[in-house]
Amino acid sequence: MSLGSLRHVIEHIDTDAQGVVHFTRYLSLFETVALRGLDKHAADSANWITAHHDLAIATISAVYRSPARYAEPIDITAEVERVTGARIIVHTRATTKDGMVEIATGALTFCLVDREGRAKPIPAELRSSLMSGQPTISQENNHA
């Protein structure tokens, strides 16, 4: 299920001394797209915190395929790959030239945790929402 996309124009802060995107920026941009999508589709982190839960990143990884440079627009997409008992696995992809050149891919594993950091099961309503792409009833009401 798609979580959406983001177009980002590479800025000086994104690059190293050679004007190429620094590897850590991909991780940050991947996280941004995934979290925006989760909030939009059902995983409103404010609601989780209120319910004494939080969303933590258990793992994050990236594979770099081609450099992106200063002032170049890149597109980043994120999609839910799988939802398990307490984890949401998201695949991300960064491309240039309107999707023609893949510059990086990534994987993020989010975990729902309590205040002590113990994993908690993903609620059935949220699991269903993430897998179907339809907002939860509470999210529909929040955005009305």
Coordinates of all heavy atoms in Angstrom, one line a residue, residues 22-117:
H22 N 24.9 13.4 0.7 CA 25.5 12.6 1.8 C 24.5 11.5 2.1 O 23.3 11.7 2.2 CB 25.7 13.5 3.0 CG 26.6 12.9 4.0 ND1 26.1 12.2 5.0 CD2 27.9 12.8 4.1 CE1 27.0 11.7 5.8 NE2 28.2 12.1 5.3
F23 N 25.1 10.3 2.4 CA 24.2 9.1 2.6 C 23.2 9.3 3.7 O 22.1 8.7 3.6 CB 25.1 7.9 2.8 CG 25.8 7.8 4.2 CD1 25.2 7.2 5.2 CD2 27.0 8.5 4.3 CE1 25.8 7.1 6.4 CE2 27.6 8.4 5.6 CZ 27.1 7.8 6.6
T24 N 23.5 10.0 4.7 CA 22.6 10.2 5.9 C 21.3 10.9 5.5 O 20.3 10.7 6.1 CB 23.3 10.9 7.1 OG1 23.7 12.2 6.6 CG2 24.4 10.1 7.6
R25 N 21.4 11.8 4.5 CA 20.2 12.5 4.1 C 19.1 11.6 3.5 O 17.9 11.8 3.7 CB 20.5 13.6 3.0 CG 21.3 14.7 3.6 CD 20.6 15.4 4.7 NE 19.4 16.1 4.1 CZ 18.2 16.2 4.7 NH1 18.0 15.8 5.9 NH2 17.2 16.9 4.1
Y26 N 19.5 10.5 2.8 CA 18.5 9.5 2.3 C 17.7 8.9 3.5 O 16.5 8.8 3.4 CB 19.2 8.4 1.5 CG 19.7 8.9 0.2 CD1 21.1 9.0 0.0 CD2 18.9 9.3 -0.8 CE1 21.6 9.4 -1.2 CE2 19.4 9.8 -2.0 CZ 20.7 9.8 -2.2 OH 21.2 10.3 -3.4
L27 N 18.4 8.6 4.6 CA 17.7 8.0 5.7 C 16.7 8.9 6.3 O 15.6 8.5 6.6 CB 18.8 7.5 6.8 CG 19.8 6.5 6.3 CD1 20.8 6.2 7.4 CD2 19.1 5.2 5.9
S28 N 17.1 10.2 6.4 CA 16.2 11.2 7.0 C 15.0 11.4 6.0 O 13.9 11.5 6.5 CB 17.0 12.5 7.2 OG 16.1 13.5 7.6
L29 N 15.2 11.5 4.8 CA 14.2 11.7 3.8 C 13.2 10.5 3.7 O 12.0 10.7 3.6 CB 14.7 12.1 2.4 CG 15.4 13.4 2.3 CD1 16.2 13.5 1.0 CD2 14.4 14.6 2.4
F30 N 13.8 9.3 3.8 CA 13.0 8.1 3.8 C 12.1 8.1 5.0 O 10.9 7.8 4.9 CB 13.9 6.8 3.8 CG 14.6 6.6 2.5 CD1 15.6 5.7 2.5 CD2 14.2 7.2 1.3 CE1 16.3 5.4 1.4 CE2 14.9 6.9 0.2 CZ 16.0 6.0 0.2
E31 N 12.6 8.5 6.2 CA 11.8 8.5 7.4 C 10.7 9.5 7.3 O 9.5 9.3 7.7 CB 12.7 8.8 8.6 CG 11.9 8.9 9.9 CD 12.8 9.3 11.1 OE1 14.0 9.6 10.9 OE2 12.2 9.3 12.2
T32 N 11.0 10.7 6.7 CA 10.0 11.8 6.6 C 8.8 11.3 5.7 O 7.7 11.5 6.1 CB 10.7 13.0 6.0 OG1 11.6 13.5 6.9 CG2 9.6 14.1 5.7
V33 N 9.1 10.7 4.6 CA 8.0 10.3 3.7 C 7.2 9.2 4.4 O 6.0 9.2 4.3 CB 8.6 9.8 2.3 CG1 7.5 9.2 1.5 CG2 9.3 10.9 1.6
A34 N 7.9 8.2 5.0 CA 7.1 7.1 5.6 C 6.2 7.7 6.8 O 5.1 7.3 6.9 CB 8.1 6.1 6.2
L35 N 6.8 8.5 7.6 CA 6.0 9.0 8.7 C 4.8 9.9 8.3 O 3.7 9.8 8.8 CB 6.8 9.8 9.7 CG 7.8 9.0 10.6 CD1 8.7 9.9 11.4 CD2 7.0 8.0 11.5
R36 N 5.0 10.7 7.3 CA 3.9 11.5 6.7 C 2.8 10.6 6.2 O 1.6 10.9 6.4 CB 4.4 12.4 5.6 CG 5.2 13.6 6.1 CD 5.6 14.5 4.9 NE 6.4 15.6 5.4 CZ 7.0 16.5 4.6 NH1 6.9 16.4 3.3 NH2 7.8 17.4 5.1
G37 N 3.2 9.6 5.5 CA 2.2 8.6 4.9 C 1.5 7.9 6.0 O 0.3 7.7 5.9
L38 N 2.2 7.4 7.1 CA 1.6 6.7 8.2 C 0.6 7.6 8.8 O -0.5 7.2 9.2 CB 2.6 6.2 9.2 CG 3.5 5.0 8.7 CD1 4.6 4.8 9.7 CD2 2.6 3.8 8.5
D39 N 0.9 8.9 9.1 CA 0.0 9.8 9.7 C -1.2 10.0 8.8 O -2.4 10.0 9.3 CB 0.7 11.2 9.9 CG 1.5 11.2 11.2 OD1 1.4 10.3 12.0 OD2 2.3 12.2 11.3
K40 N -1.0 10.2 7.5 CA -2.1 10.4 6.6 C -3.1 9.2 6.6 O -4.3 9.3 6.5 CB -1.6 10.7 5.2 CG -2.6 10.8 4.2 CD -2.0 11.0 2.8 CE -3.0 11.0 1.7 NZ -2.4 11.0 0.4
H41 N -2.5 8.0 6.6 CA -3.3 6.8 6.3 C -3.9 6.2 7.6 O -4.8 5.4 7.5 CB -2.6 5.7 5.5 CG -2.5 6.1 4.1 ND1 -3.5 5.9 3.2 CD2 -1.5 6.7 3.4 CE1 -3.1 6.3 2.0 NE2 -1.9 6.8 2.1
A42 N -3.4 6.5 8.8 CA -4.0 5.9 9.9 C -3.1 5.9 11.2 O -3.6 5.8 12.3 CB -4.4 4.5 9.7
A43 N -1.8 6.0 11.0 CA -0.9 5.9 12.1 C -0.6 7.2 12.8 O 0.5 7.6 12.9 CB 0.3 5.2 11.7
D44 N -1.6 7.9 13.1 CA -1.5 9.3 13.7 C -0.7 9.1 15.0 O -1.2 8.7 16.0 CB -2.8 9.9 14.0 CG -2.7 11.3 14.5 OD1 -1.6 11.8 14.7 OD2 -3.8 11.9 14.8
S45 N 0.6 9.5 15.0 CA 1.4 9.3 16.2 C 0.9 10.1 17.4 O 1.1 9.6 18.6 CB 2.9 9.7 15.9 OG 2.9 11.0 15.4
A46 N 0.2 11.2 17.2 CA -0.4 11.9 18.4 C -1.4 11.0 19.1 O -1.5 10.9 20.3 CB -1.1 13.2 17.9
N47 N -2.2 10.2 18.4 CA -3.2 9.3 19.0 C -2.4 8.1 19.7 O -2.9 7.7 20.8 CB -4.1 8.7 17.9 CG -5.1 9.7 17.4 OD1 -5.4 10.7 18.1 ND2 -5.7 9.4 16.3
W48 N -1.3 7.7 19.2 CA -0.6 6.6 19.8 C 0.0 7.1 21.1 O 0.0 6.4 22.1 CB 0.5 6.1 18.9 CG 0.1 5.3 17.8 CD1 -1.2 5.0 17.4 CD2 0.9 4.7 16.8 NE1 -1.2 4.2 16.3 CE2 0.0 4.0 15.9 CE3 2.2 4.7 16.5 CZ2 0.5 3.3 14.8 CZ3 2.7 4.0 15.5 CH2 1.8 3.3 14.6
I49 N 0.6 8.3 21.1 CA 1.2 8.8 22.3 C 0.1 9.0 23.4 O 0.3 8.7 24.6 CB 1.9 10.1 22.0 CG1 3.1 9.8 21.2 CG2 2.3 10.8 23.3 CD1 3.8 11.0 20.5
T50 N -1.1 9.5 23.0 CA -2.2 9.7 24.0 C -2.5 8.3 24.6 O -2.9 8.2 25.7 CB -3.4 10.3 23.2 OG1 -3.0 11.5 22.7 CG2 -4.6 10.4 24.2
A51 N -2.5 7.3 23.8 CA -2.8 5.9 24.3 C -1.6 5.2 24.9 O -1.6 4.0 25.1 CB -3.3 5.1 23.1
H52 N -0.6 6.0 25.3 CA 0.6 5.5 26.0 C 1.4 4.6 25.1 O 2.0 3.6 25.6 CB 0.3 4.9 27.3 CG -0.5 5.7 28.2 ND1 0.0 6.9 28.8 CD2 -1.8 5.7 28.6 CE1 -0.9 7.5 29.5 NE2 -2.1 6.8 29.4
H53 N 1.4 4.8 23.8 CA 2.2 4.1 22.9 C 3.0 5.1 22.1 O 2.7 6.3 22.0 CB 1.4 3.3 21.9 CG 0.6 2.2 22.6 ND1 -0.7 2.3 23.0 CD2 1.0 0.9 22.9 CE1 -1.1 1.2 23.6 NE2 0.0 0.3 23.5
D54 N 4.1 4.6 21.5 CA 4.9 5.5 20.6 C 5.3 4.7 19.4 O 5.3 3.4 19.4 CB 6.1 6.0 21.4 CG 6.6 7.3 20.7 OD1 6.1 7.7 19.7 OD2 7.6 7.8 21.3
L55 N 5.8 5.3 18.4 CA 6.3 4.7 17.2 C 7.8 4.8 17.2 O 8.3 6.0 17.3 CB 5.7 5.3 16.0 CG 6.0 4.7 14.6 CD1 5.4 3.3 14.6 CD2 5.3 5.5 13.5
A56 N 8.5 3.7 17.2 CA 9.9 3.8 17.1 C 10.4 3.1 15.9 O 9.8 2.2 15.3 CB 10.5 3.0 18.4
I57 N 11.6 3.5 15.4 CA 12.2 2.8 14.3 C 13.1 1.7 14.9 O 14.0 2.0 15.6 CB 13.1 3.8 13.4 CG1 12.2 4.8 12.8 CG2 13.9 3.0 12.4 CD1 12.9 5.9 11.9
A58 N 12.8 0.5 14.5 CA 13.6 -0.6 15.0 C 14.8 -0.8 14.1 O 15.9 -1.1 14.6 CB 12.7 -1.9 15.0
T59 N 14.6 -0.7 12.8 CA 15.7 -0.8 11.8 C 15.5 0.2 10.7 O 14.4 0.5 10.3 CB 15.9 -2.2 11.2 OG1 14.8 -2.5 10.5 CG2 16.1 -3.2 12.3
I60 N 16.6 0.6 10.1 CA 16.6 1.4 8.9 C 17.8 1.1 8.1 O 18.9 1.0 8.6 CB 16.5 3.0 9.2 CG1 16.3 3.8 7.9 CG2 17.7 3.4 10.0 CD1 15.9 5.2 8.2
S61 N 17.6 1.0 6.8 CA 18.7 0.7 5.9 C 18.5 1.3 4.6 O 17.4 1.7 4.2 CB 18.9 -0.8 5.8 OG 17.8 -1.4 5.1
A62 N 19.6 1.5 3.8 CA 19.6 2.0 2.5 C 20.6 1.4 1.6 O 21.7 1.0 2.1 CB 19.8 3.6 2.6
V63 N 20.3 1.3 0.4 CA 21.2 0.8 -0.7 C 21.4 2.0 -1.7 O 20.4 2.5 -2.2 CB 20.7 -0.4 -1.4 CG1 21.7 -0.8 -2.5 CG2 20.6 -1.6 -0.3
Y64 N 22.6 2.4 -1.9 CA 22.8 3.5 -2.8 C 23.2 3.0 -4.2 O 24.0 2.1 -4.4 CB 24.0 4.4 -2.3 CG 23.7 4.7 -0.8 CD1 24.3 4.0 0.2 CD2 22.7 5.6 -0.5 CE1 24.0 4.2 1.5 CE2 22.4 5.9 0.8 CZ 23.1 5.2 1.8 OH 22.7 5.4 3.1
R65 N 22.5 3.6 -5.2 CA 22.7 3.0 -6.6 C 23.3 4.0 -7.5 O 24.0 3.6 -8.5 CB 21.3 2.6 -7.1 CG 20.6 1.7 -6.1 CD 19.7 0.7 -6.9 NE 19.0 -0.2 -6.0 CZ 19.5 -1.3 -5.6 NH1 20.6 -1.8 -6.0 NH2 18.8 -2.1 -4.8
S66 N 23.1 5.3 -7.3 CA 23.6 6.3 -8.2 C 23.6 7.7 -7.5 O 22.8 7.9 -6.6 CB 22.7 6.4 -9.4 OG 23.1 7.4 -10.3
P67 N 24.6 8.6 -7.7 CA 24.7 9.8 -7.0 C 23.6 10.8 -7.4 O 23.1 10.8 -8.6 CB 26.0 10.4 -7.3 CG 26.4 9.7 -8.7 CD 25.7 8.4 -8.7
A68 N 23.2 11.6 -6.5 CA 22.3 12.8 -6.8 C 23.1 14.0 -6.4 O 23.9 13.9 -5.4 CB 21.0 12.7 -6.0
R69 N 22.9 15.1 -7.1 CA 23.8 16.3 -6.9 C 23.0 17.5 -6.5 O 21.8 17.5 -6.7 CB 24.6 16.5 -8.2 CG 25.5 15.3 -8.5 CD 26.4 15.6 -9.6 NE 27.2 14.4 -10.0 CZ 28.2 13.9 -9.3 NH1 28.6 14.5 -8.2 NH2 28.9 12.9 -9.7
Y70 N 23.7 18.5 -6.1 CA 23.1 19.8 -5.7 C 22.2 20.3 -6.8 O 22.5 20.2 -8.0 CB 24.3 20.8 -5.5 CG 23.7 22.2 -5.2 CD1 23.1 22.5 -4.1 CD2 23.8 23.2 -6.2 CE1 22.5 23.8 -3.9 CE2 23.3 24.4 -6.0 CZ 22.7 24.7 -4.8 OH 22.1 26.0 -4.6
A71 N 21.0 20.8 -6.4 CA 20.0 21.4 -7.2 C 19.2 20.4 -8.0 O 18.2 20.8 -8.7 CB 20.5 22.5 -8.0
E72 N 19.5 19.2 -7.9 CA 18.7 18.1 -8.6 C 17.5 17.8 -7.9 O 17.5 17.5 -6.7 CB 19.6 16.9 -8.8 CG 19.1 15.9 -9.7 CD 20.1 14.8 -10.0 OE1 21.1 14.6 -9.3 OE2 19.8 14.0 -11.0
P73 N 16.3 17.7 -8.6 CA 15.1 17.3 -7.9 C 15.1 15.8 -7.8 O 15.5 15.1 -8.7 CB 14.0 17.8 -8.8 CG 14.6 17.9 -10.2 CD 16.1 18.2 -9.9
I74 N 14.7 15.2 -6.7 CA 14.6 13.8 -6.5 C 13.2 13.5 -6.0 O 12.5 14.4 -5.3 CB 15.6 13.2 -5.5 CG1 15.5 13.7 -4.1 CG2 17.0 13.4 -6.1 CD1 16.4 13.0 -3.1
D75 N 12.7 12.4 -6.3 CA 11.3 11.9 -5.8 C 11.5 10.7 -4.9 O 12.3 9.8 -5.3 CB 10.5 11.5 -7.0 CG 10.1 12.7 -7.9 OD1 9.6 13.7 -7.4 OD2 10.4 12.6 -9.1
I76 N 10.9 10.8 -3.8 CA 11.0 9.7 -2.8 C 9.6 9.1 -2.6 O 8.6 9.9 -2.4 CB 11.5 10.2 -1.5 CG1 12.9 10.8 -1.8 CG2 11.6 9.1 -0.5 CD1 13.3 11.8 -0.8
T77 N 9.5 7.8 -2.7 CA 8.2 7.1 -2.5 C 8.3 6.1 -1.3 O 9.4 5.7 -1.0 CB 7.7 6.4 -3.7 OG1 8.7 5.4 -4.1 CG2 7.4 7.3 -4.9
A78 N 7.2 5.8 -0.7 CA 7.2 4.9 0.4 C 5.9 4.0 0.3 O 4.9 4.5 -0.1 CB 7.2 5.6 1.8
E79 N 6.1 2.8 0.6 CA 4.9 1.9 0.6 C 5.1 0.8 1.7 O 6.2 0.4 2.1 CB 4.7 1.2 -0.7 CG 5.8 0.3 -1.1 CD 5.5 -0.4 -2.5 OE1 5.3 0.4 -3.4 OE2 5.6 -1.6 -2.6
V80 N 3.9 0.5 2.3 CA 3.9 -0.5 3.3 C 4.1 -1.9 2.6 O 3.4 -2.2 1.7 CB 2.5 -0.6 4.1 CG1 2.5 -1.8 5.0 CG2 2.3 0.7 4.9
E81 N 5.2 -2.6 3.1 CA 5.5 -3.9 2.5 C 4.8 -5.0 3.3 O 4.3 -5.9 2.7 CB 7.0 -4.1 2.6 CG 7.5 -5.3 1.9 CD 9.0 -5.4 1.9 OE1 9.6 -4.5 1.3 OE2 9.5 -6.3 2.6
R82 N 4.7 -4.8 4.6 CA 4.2 -5.8 5.5 C 3.8 -5.3 6.9 O 4.5 -4.4 7.3 CB 5.2 -7.0 5.6 CG 4.6 -8.2 6.3 CD 5.6 -9.4 6.2 NE 6.9 -9.1 6.9 CZ 8.1 -9.2 6.4 NH1 8.2 -9.7 5.1 NH2 9.2 -9.0 7.1
V83 N 2.8 -5.8 7.5 CA 2.5 -5.4 8.9 C 2.5 -6.7 9.6 O 1.7 -7.7 9.3 CB 1.1 -4.7 9.0 CG1 0.8 -4.4 10.4 CG2 1.1 -3.4 8.1
T84 N 3.3 -6.8 10.7 CA 3.3 -8.0 11.5 C 2.7 -7.7 12.9 O 2.1 -6.6 13.0 CB 4.8 -8.6 11.7 OG1 5.5 -7.6 12.4 CG2 5.4 -8.8 10.3
G85 N 2.9 -8.5 13.9 CA 2.3 -8.3 15.2 C 2.5 -6.9 15.7 O 1.6 -6.3 16.2
A86 N 3.8 -6.5 15.8 CA 4.1 -5.2 16.4 C 4.9 -4.3 15.4 O 5.4 -3.3 15.9 CB 4.8 -5.4 17.7
R87 N 5.0 -4.7 14.2 CA 5.9 -4.0 13.3 C 5.2 -3.6 12.0 O 4.4 -4.3 11.5 CB 7.2 -4.9 12.9 CG 8.0 -5.2 14.2 CD 9.2 -6.1 13.8 NE 9.9 -6.4 15.0 CZ 11.0 -5.8 15.4 NH1 11.5 -4.8 14.8 NH2 11.6 -6.2 16.5
I88 N 5.7 -2.5 11.5 CA 5.3 -2.0 10.1 C 6.5 -1.9 9.3 O 7.4 -1.1 9.6 CB 4.6 -0.7 10.3 CG1 3.4 -0.7 11.2 CG2 4.1 -0.2 8.9 CD1 2.9 0.6 11.7
I89 N 6.6 -2.7 8.2 CA 7.8 -2.7 7.4 C 7.5 -1.8 6.1 O 6.5 -2.1 5.4 CB 8.2 -4.1 7.0 CG1 8.7 -4.8 8.3 CG2 9.4 -4.0 6.0 CD1 7.9 -6.0 8.6
V90 N 8.3 -0.8 5.9 CA 8.1 0.1 4.8 C 9.3 0.1 3.9 O 10.4 0.1 4.3 CB 7.9 1.6 5.4 CG1 7.8 2.6 4.3 CG2 6.7 1.6 6.3
H91 N 9.0 0.0 2.6 CA 10.0 0.1 1.5 C 10.0 1.5 0.9 O 8.9 2.1 0.7 CB 9.7 -0.9 0.4 CG 10.7 -0.9 -0.6 ND1 10.6 -0.2 -1.8 CD2 12.0 -1.5 -0.7 CE1 11.6 -0.4 -2.6 NE2 12.5 -1.1 -1.9
T92 N 11.2 2.1 0.7 CA 11.3 3.4 0.2 C 12.2 3.4 -1.1 O 13.0 2.5 -1.3 CB 11.9 4.4 1.2 OG1 13.1 3.9 1.6 CG2 10.9 4.6 2.3
R93 N 12.0 4.4 -1.9 CA 12.7 4.5 -3.2 C 13.0 5.9 -3.5 O 12.0 6.7 -3.5 CB 12.0 3.8 -4.3 CG 12.6 3.7 -5.6 CD 11.8 2.8 -6.5 NE 12.5 2.6 -7.8 CZ 12.1 3.1 -8.9 NH1 11.0 3.8 -9.0 NH2 12.8 2.9 -10.0
A94 N 14.2 6.3 -3.9 CA 14.5 7.6 -4.3 C 14.9 7.6 -5.8 O 15.8 6.7 -6.2 CB 15.6 8.2 -3.5
T95 N 14.4 8.4 -6.6 CA 14.7 8.5 -8.1 C 14.9 9.9 -8.5 O 14.5 10.9 -7.9 CB 13.6 7.8 -8.9 OG1 12.3 8.6 -8.7 CG2 13.3 6.4 -8.5
T96 N 15.6 10.0 -9.7 CA 15.7 11.3 -10.4 C 15.1 11.1 -11.8 O 14.7 10.0 -12.2 CB 17.2 11.7 -10.5 OG1 17.9 10.7 -11.2 CG2 17.8 11.9 -9.1
K97 N 15.1 12.2 -12.5 CA 14.7 12.2 -13.9 C 13.3 11.6 -14.0 O 13.1 10.7 -14.9 CB 15.7 11.6 -14.8 CG 17.1 12.3 -14.6 CD 18.0 11.9 -15.7 CE 19.4 12.5 -15.6 NZ 19.7 13.5 -14.6
D98 N 12.4 12.0 -13.2 CA 11.0 11.6 -13.2 C 10.9 10.0 -13.1 O 10.1 9.4 -13.9 CB 10.3 12.1 -14.5 CG 10.1 13.6 -14.5 OD1 9.9 14.2 -13.4 OD2 10.3 14.2 -15.5
G99 N 11.6 9.5 -12.2 CA 11.6 8.1 -11.9 C 12.4 7.2 -12.8 O 12.4 6.0 -12.6
M100 N 13.2 7.8 -13.7 CA 13.9 7.0 -14.7 C 15.2 6.4 -14.1 O 15.7 5.4 -14.5 CB 14.2 7.8 -15.9 CG 13.0 8.2 -16.7 SD 11.9 6.8 -17.2 CE 13.0 6.1 -18.4
V101 N 15.8 7.1 -13.1 CA 17.1 6.7 -12.5 C 16.9 6.5 -11.0 O 16.5 7.4 -10.3 CB 18.2 7.8 -12.7 CG1 19.5 7.3 -12.1 CG2 18.4 8.0 -14.2
E102 N 17.1 5.2 -10.6 CA 17.0 4.9 -9.2 C 18.3 5.3 -8.5 O 19.4 4.8 -8.9 CB 16.7 3.4 -9.0 CG 16.4 3.0 -7.6 CD 16.0 1.6 -7.5 OE1 16.9 0.7 -7.6 OE2 14.8 1.3 -7.3
I103 N 18.2 6.1 -7.5 CA 19.4 6.6 -6.8 C 19.6 5.9 -5.4 O 20.8 5.7 -5.0 CB 19.5 8.1 -6.7 CG1 18.3 8.7 -6.0 CG2 19.7 8.7 -8.0 CD1 18.4 10.2 -5.7
A104 N 18.5 5.5 -4.8 CA 18.7 4.8 -3.5 C 17.3 4.1 -3.2 O 16.3 4.5 -3.6 CB 19.0 5.7 -2.4
T105 N 17.5 3.0 -2.5 CA 16.3 2.3 -1.9 C 16.5 2.1 -0.4 O 17.6 2.2 0.0 CB 16.1 0.9 -2.6 OG1 17.2 0.1 -2.4 CG2 15.8 1.0 -4.1
G106 N 15.4 1.9 0.3 CA 15.5 1.8 1.7 C 14.5 0.9 2.3 O 13.5 0.6 1.6
A107 N 14.7 0.5 3.5 CA 13.7 -0.2 4.3 C 13.7 0.3 5.7 O 14.8 0.5 6.3 CB 14.0 -1.7 4.3
L108 N 12.5 0.5 6.2 CA 12.3 1.0 7.6 C 11.4 0.0 8.3 O 10.4 -0.4 7.7 CB 11.7 2.4 7.7 CG 12.5 3.5 7.1 CD1 12.1 3.7 5.6 CD2 12.3 4.8 7.9
T109 N 11.7 -0.4 9.5 CA 10.9 -1.2 10.3 C 10.5 -0.3 11.5 O 11.3 0.0 12.3 CB 11.6 -2.5 10.8 OG1 12.0 -3.2 9.7 CG2 10.6 -3.3 11.6
F110 N 9.2 0.0 11.6 CA 8.6 0.7 12.7 C 8.0 -0.3 13.7 O 7.5 -1.3 13.3 CB 7.5 1.7 12.2 CG 8.0 2.8 11.4 CD1 8.0 2.7 10.0 CD2 8.5 4.0 11.9 CE1 8.4 3.7 9.2 CE2 9.0 5.0 11.1 CZ 8.9 4.9 9.8
C111 N 8.1 0.1 15.0 CA 7.6 -0.8 16.0 C 6.7 0.1 16.9 O 7.1 1.2 17.3 CB 8.8 -1.4 16.8 SG 8.3 -2.6 17.9
L112 N 5.6 -0.4 17.3 CA 4.7 0.2 18.3 C 5.2 -0.2 19.7 O 5.3 -1.4 19.9 CB 3.3 -0.2 18.0 CG 2.2 0.5 18.9 CD1 2.2 2.0 18.6 CD2 0.8 0.0 18.6
V113 N 5.5 0.8 20.5 CA 6.1 0.5 21.8 C 5.3 1.3 22.9 O 4.7 2.3 22.7 CB 7.6 0.8 21.9 CG1 8.4 0.0 21.0 CG2 7.9 2.3 21.7
D114 N 5.4 0.7 24.1 CA 4.8 1.4 25.3 C 5.9 2.4 25.8 O 7.0 2.5 25.3 CB 4.3 0.5 26.3 CG 5.4 -0.4 27.0 OD1 6.6 -0.1 26.9 OD2 5.0 -1.4 27.7
R115 N 5.6 3.1 26.9 CA 6.5 4.1 27.5 C 7.8 3.5 28.0 O 8.8 4.2 28.1 CB 5.8 4.8 28.6 CG 4.6 5.6 28.2 CD 5.0 7.0 27.7 NE 3.9 7.8 27.4 CZ 3.8 8.6 26.4 NH1 4.8 8.7 25.6 NH2 2.7 9.3 26.2
E116 N 7.8 2.2 28.3 CA 9.0 1.5 28.8 C 9.8 0.9 27.6 O 10.8 0.3 27.8 CB 8.7 0.4 29.8 CG 8.2 1.0 31.1 CD 6.8 1.5 31.1 OE1 5.9 0.9 30.5 OE2 6.6 2.6 31.7
G117 N 9.3 1.1 26.4 CA 10.0 0.6 25.2 C 9.7 -0.8 24.8 O 10.4 -1.4 24.0

